Amino acid sequence: MPTDGSLVTLAHRLFQIAPGFACILRGADHVFEFANDGFYDLVGQRPLIGKPVRVAFPHPELEELIRLLDQVYRTRRPYAGRAVQLLVRRGPDAPPEERFLDLSYLPIPGPDDDAAGILAQGYEVTELVRAQQALHASEQRLHLALEAAGEGVWDWNIADGRFSFSERGRDMLGYGPGDIGARLEDWVAITHPDDMQRLQDETMACVRGRVPTVLLEYRVRNRQGDWQWILARGAVVERSPEGRALRMMGTTVDISGELETLHRANFDTLTGLANRALFREQLEHEVELSRRNGRPLALFFIDLDRFKEINDLFGHDAGDALLCEAAERIRDCVRKSDMAARLSGDEFTVILTELDSATHASGVAQKILHALARPFDLDGKEVSISGSIGITLFPADAAGTGDLLRNADQAMYAAKKAGRNQFRFFTPAMQEDATRRLALLRELREALPKRQLQVVFQPIVELAGGRIVKAEALLRWQHPERGLLRPAAFMAQAEESGLISEIGHWVFSEAAAWARRWTEQTGATFQVSINRSPVEFAAHAQAPDWEALLRDLGLAWHSLSVDITEALLLKPSLAVENGLLQLRQSGIQVSIDGFGSGYSSLASVKKYDVDFLKIDQSFVREADTPGNARTIAETIVLMAHKLGLRVVAEGVETAQQRDWLRAAGCDYAQGYLFSEPLPPEGFSALLAAQGRA
């Protein structure tokens, strides 16, 4: 059996080799009986054994520790403290040094169950505490920096579900301190339902260590009840030794403004479809993807037939409403993986990806045509349009995006040229046709300066007396290689390019000059009529000052007449009304060309104060065959006279046609029976011969 002395010696040895510090204090004065090397390392080398604590450490900063020793000795209850702050002097004259200790005071029982002394032991944790303080200070600095940068800071204690959001973050969404709870589920509850699963999946991927960080854009409901886009960044900052995530921190920033700017940069402001820039970027991406996976794609060019006419007739607000509805119909016809875009005006495009065959593209095109053919309601007015669609395939038709765009445009033009409301797939022959059209447009731009355009005049005869009293000015192009071209061969290019206004003004000037000459030649007001394109009545078209030209020429009232199409009178339009009013104020009369072949009524004609009706030549041509053509023509004459209008019959080629028109009361007639269109000099000679007769 070991003696008491040997036990004490053994205990001293154990305390000496034990980690941390230890000392034994005896009696109510806490006299040092033992101190291990760890204790001397803490307080510095000095005489301690046999001295009371107050003598060994006569420093006021240790008063609280001594009070705790007194308490343990008196109550015989142990004391334990974590990270207890202590100011230690490592020498009598040394300055105090801050230390942090995890320590415990254990009462040593005496013979009568009283405390004989106290065992003080523990560990210095100064470095750990300072590291934690540095980490906390770093977190605080980061927090302040992020707050100053406008980012909200969040902290999720994964173990207990507590979730805190900084004041800046709450302000970002308009919430006060008590508006939302302190649990994660309270904040998840304000997430947009469509973003909920994505938020959960990407967050858990980070928690489980599959990705180092989470970076996520999603929507949350702000205090006003609106959905607000935010960008959240986060990472796991603390894990257990087993790798289990314990804490996650991150930041949140409001990106609503950035997304709005990005949306404006990539999406059409009117229809919400992708704009030209985003479309080009997506097309290049899809072409590259098609090269890698071998799955073909199709590109559609869609042009709305008659949109310009609707826009001019009803105004831009109605036109915009039609574009928005058309865009929605097109979008509904394609998959979410496909892209619909608005390029400009009434031109749309669709990218169909991963096609199994061209049959799929045909089905989508037909679906779009059917959707566009349904009537549109424009503020209570029902109108109908159609679409022309050009389709090209990659890689079958093209090697890159530039070729695709060109091919689709050419195929669309072919669909429009074939009668509209249909689709066409690109063929190599279309490239040749497009090349010819571009060359023709380039040559047309030079035609007027090079004096290749000319005006010919066809007589208009007064049926009652058989004399030439009027003429219609007709445009011709003496092409250097293709010979004499009628307007049908080049008018579409003139209208699309905007050259129509310049050409139209030149034709008017020529007609006005010859009207003056023939007035002088005949001794009576000689009227010349010209055709005016509907494009020249567009709201944005620059109106020519024809009144000044007529005034400078000294022309009599009603020396000129303008022929317009029935389509302009289909629906009321401020641009058309202003254009017709300006003509009448300039002393120019108005006639409806090809009346009876369109949709206008005599009531709408009278509303616009029209002077003449030109009966469409189809009624004159078919008058000699069984049918209703003659009856319709005679009815038009009768009703026009009742409304105070005069009637001109076009395309008269036989004496029989002239005779029944005269019998029906028709006022004027023109056609090859009387004369083909003549150059001005030939027309002058015809008038001279009439005068001599």
Side-chain angles (χ1 to χ4, degrees):
M1 296 287 294
T3 62
D4 292 343
S6 63
L7 287 174
V8 171
T9 300
L10 179 61
H12 283 191
R13 286 178 180 175
L14 290 174
F15 282 127
Q16 196 64 261
I17 63 175
F21 62 85
C23 66
I24 297 176
L25 306 173
R26 288 289 184 177
D29 292 333
H30 315 305
V31 177
F32 280 98
E33 184 175 287
F34 169 79
N36 68 354
D37 291 343
F39 191 85
Y40 283 108
D41 289 341
L42 175 67
V43 302
Q45 295 294 330
R46 66 183 70 190
L48 293 177
I49 305 304
K51 289 186 177 182
V53 168
R54 291 185 183 278
V55 175
F57 299 103
H59 309 304
E61 55 266 20
L62 299 179
E63 189 62 35
E64 177 62 20
L65 290 180
I66 296 174
R67 186 190 66 78
L68 290 174
L69 287 172
D70 291 339
Q71 176 182 305
V72 171
Y73 187 83
R74 184 178 63 256
T75 63
R76 300 189 299 280
R77 294 177 181 173
Y79 166 81
R82 294 183 60 83
V84 176
Q85 185 180 15
L86 181 69
L87 291 177
V88 175
R89 299 176 186 268
R90 297 181 63 81
D93 299 325
E97 298 178 22
E98 184 182 54
R99 292 288 187 268
F100 293 90
L101 311 176
D102 286 351
L103 60 83
S104 62
Y105 293 158
L106 301 175
I108 302 174
D112 300 325
D113 203 24
D114 293 332
I118 295 175
L119 170 62
Q121 63 178 356
Y123 304 90
E124 183 177 358
V125 292
T126 302
E127 291 185 2
L128 176 61
V129 169
R130 285 178 177 166
Q132 290 176 339
Q133 289 176 336
L135 176 62
H136 180 70
S138 177
E139 289 179 351
Q140 287 297 105
R141 287 194 297 271
L142 176 61
H143 187 282
L144 291 173
L146 292 173
E147 290 277 299
E151 298 192 8
V153 182
W154 52 267
D155 190 341
W156 175 29
N157 189 314
I158 300 173
D160 60 14
R162 284 183 293 109
F163 187 91
S164 62
F165 203 24
S166 67
E167 181 180 356
R168 176 67 186 87
R170 291 174 179 269
D171 289 345
M172 183 190 306
L173 302 176
Y175 292 114
D179 291 339
I180 297 183
R183 311 291 298 179
L184 178 64
E185 51 265 30
D186 298 327
W187 290 91
V188 172
I190 65 172
T191 302
H192 195 286
D194 293 345
D195 301 335
M196 193 87 70
Q197 190 63 48
R198 183 163 51 91
L199 174 64
Q200 178 179 338
D201 292 345
E202 298 197 23
T203 301
M204 293 311 298
C206 184
V207 167
R208 291 166 182 162
R210 292 200 295 267
V211 294
T213 60
V214 62
L215 180 65
L216 186 63
E217 296 176 358
Y218 63 101
R219 290 159 290 181
V220 295
R221 183 184 291 107
N222 58 28
R223 199 170 191 275
Q224 290 71 38
D226 300 322
W227 293 112
Q228 186 169 332
W229 281 96
I230 61 173
L231 172 65
R233 302 181 182 89
V236 174
V237 296
E238 185 178 354
R239 292 186 181 273
S240 68
E242 298 80 19
R244 183 166 53 88
L246 302 176
R247 185 182 177 199
M248 192 172 185
M249 293 184 66
T251 62
T252 297
V253 62
D254 178 16
I255 60 171
S256 299
E258 289 84 349
L259 285 181
E260 183 178 349
T261 301
L262 185 63
H263 191 276
R264 286 198 300 268
N266 290 286
F267 291 89
D268 178 48
T269 55
L270 177 63
T271 64
L273 296 182
N275 62 13
R276 180 183 291 271
L278 182 58
F279 157 72
R280 289 297 296 264
E281 181 180 333
Q282 185 68 19
L283 181 61
E284 291 176 359
H285 169 75
E286 294 297 346
V287 165
E288 186 58 35
L289 188 62
S290 177
R291 285 195 182 102
R292 293 200 301 266
N293 63 23
R295 301 289 295 276
L297 65 84
L299 176 64
F300 288 17
F301 259 24
I302 307 167
D303 187 83
L304 303 184
D305 303 326
R306 294 186 59 242
F307 171 75
K308 291 182 175 62
E309 179 183 322
I310 298 296
N311 200 48
D312 293 339
L313 291 173
F314 291 93
H316 289 295
D317 290 343
D320 288 348
L322 188 148
L323 288 174
C324 290
E325 177 64 23
E328 188 66 28
R329 295 184 188 184
I330 293 171
R331 180 165 36 205
D332 290 343
C333 293
V334 301
R335 302 165 299 185
K336 288 187 177 180
S337 58
D338 301 323
M339 171 181 274
R342 180 188 177 212
L343 298 187
S344 63
D346 61 338
E347 293 182 341
F348 297 86
T349 187
V350 168
I351 305 173
L352 296 182
T353 60
E354 298 188 349
L355 295 179
D356 293 324
S357 67
T359 305
H360 175 68
S362 299
V364 174
Q366 195 62 57
K367 191 176 179 182
I368 293 174
L369 291 178
H370 287 160
L372 294 176
R374 299 198 308 268
F376 289 78
D377 184 354
L378 301 182
D379 195 21
K381 300 182 181 69
E382 187 176 283
V383 299
S384 296
I385 63 168
S386 58
S388 296
I389 304 177
I391 307 174
T392 187
L393 303 177
F394 179 88
D397 298 335
T401 56
D403 293 340
L404 281 173
L405 293 169
R406 185 197 65 218
N407 294 350
D409 182 57
Q410 293 170 5
M412 182 273 291
Y413 185 85
K416 193 174 287 288
K417 188 176 179 180
R420 306 180 179 182
N421 193 29
Q422 55 190 288
F423 63 88
R424 286 286 186 272
F425 281 90
F426 171 79
T427 64
M430 294 177 184
Q431 174 65 29
E432 300 173 5
D433 183 58
T435 302
R436 286 194 298 269
R437 285 189 289 111
L438 288 175
L440 187 67
L441 176 58
R442 183 175 60 254
E443 294 162 351
L444 181 60
R445 294 184 185 279
E446 301 173 353
L448 193 57
K450 291 183 176 181
R451 301 180 182 274
Q452 294 172 359
L453 297 182
Q454 57 184 252
V455 179
V456 295
F457 299 87
Q458 187 170 37
I460 299 177
V461 175
E462 184 181 33
L463 286 175
R467 295 179 61 81
I468 301 172
V469 295
K470 294 157 58 77
E472 180 177 1
L474 300 169
L475 179 63
R476 298 292 186 265
W477 180 10
Q478 187 63 52
H479 193 279
E481 297 175 0
R482 300 173 60 182
L484 193 65
L485 299 180
R486 294 174 178 268
F490 58 87
M491 191 53 64
Q493 285 86 347
E495 291 178 337
E496 291 172 5
S497 64
L499 289 172
I500 188 62
S501 296
E502 181 182 357
I503 294 174
H505 184 66
W506 176 79
V507 171
F508 183 88
S509 301
E510 289 290 300
W514 285 105
R516 177 183 177 181
R517 183 175 300 183
W518 292 326
T519 295
E520 295 172 349
Q521 180 179 346
T522 60
T525 300
F526 193 93
Q527 187 181 79
V528 177
S529 66
I530 64 170
N531 293 280
R532 194 175 187 196
S533 166
V535 176
E536 297 179 82
F537 282 93
H540 58 275
Q542 181 67 37
D545 191 359
W546 285 349
E547 182 178 4
L549 175 61
L550 298 179
R551 188 170 53 248
D552 292 343
L553 290 173
L555 280 172
W557 200 255
H558 297 166
S559 293
L560 272 294
S561 172
V562 167
D563 294 356
I564 62 175
T565 63
E566 279 190 282
L568 281 175
L569 307 185
L570 180 61
K571 294 290 183 178
S573 163
L574 184 60
V576 173
E577 290 178 2
N578 290 338
L580 295 178
L581 179 61
Q582 184 181 29
L583 291 177
R584 299 201 66 82
Q585 290 176 341
S586 302
I588 300 171
Q589 293 189 310
V590 177
S591 63
I592 305 299
D593 197 14
F595 186 83
S597 61
Y599 306 98
S600 63
S601 66
L602 286 170
S604 63
V605 168
K606 190 58 182 174
K607 174 183 176 182
Y608 283 96
D609 203 10
V610 170
D611 300 286
F612 300 95
L613 295 184
K614 284 192 168 185
I615 300 176
D616 188 72
Q617 59 183 326
S618 62
F619 295 104
V620 177
R621 187 170 53 248
E622 297 171 9
D624 296 332
T625 60
N628 297 321
R630 178 178 293 197
T631 303
I632 294 174
E634 292 172 348
T635 303
I636 292 175
V637 172
L638 180 62
M639 296 184 66
H641 285 170
K642 286 184 175 294
L643 293 173
L645 307 176
R646 284 168 291 175
V647 181
V648 181
E650 298 179 296
V652 179
E653 297 180 351
T654 67
Q656 291 84 355
Q657 294 169 349
R658 176 200 60 195
D659 293 342
W660 77 258
L661 285 167
R662 182 191 295 130
C666 185
D667 302 285
Y668 306 99
Q670 71 180 95
Y672 278 79
L673 174 64
F674 309 106
S675 173
E676 64 180 349
L678 299 171
E681 296 78 8
F683 195 92
S684 295
L686 187 63
L687 286 179
Q690 176 178 270
R692 289 193 299 272

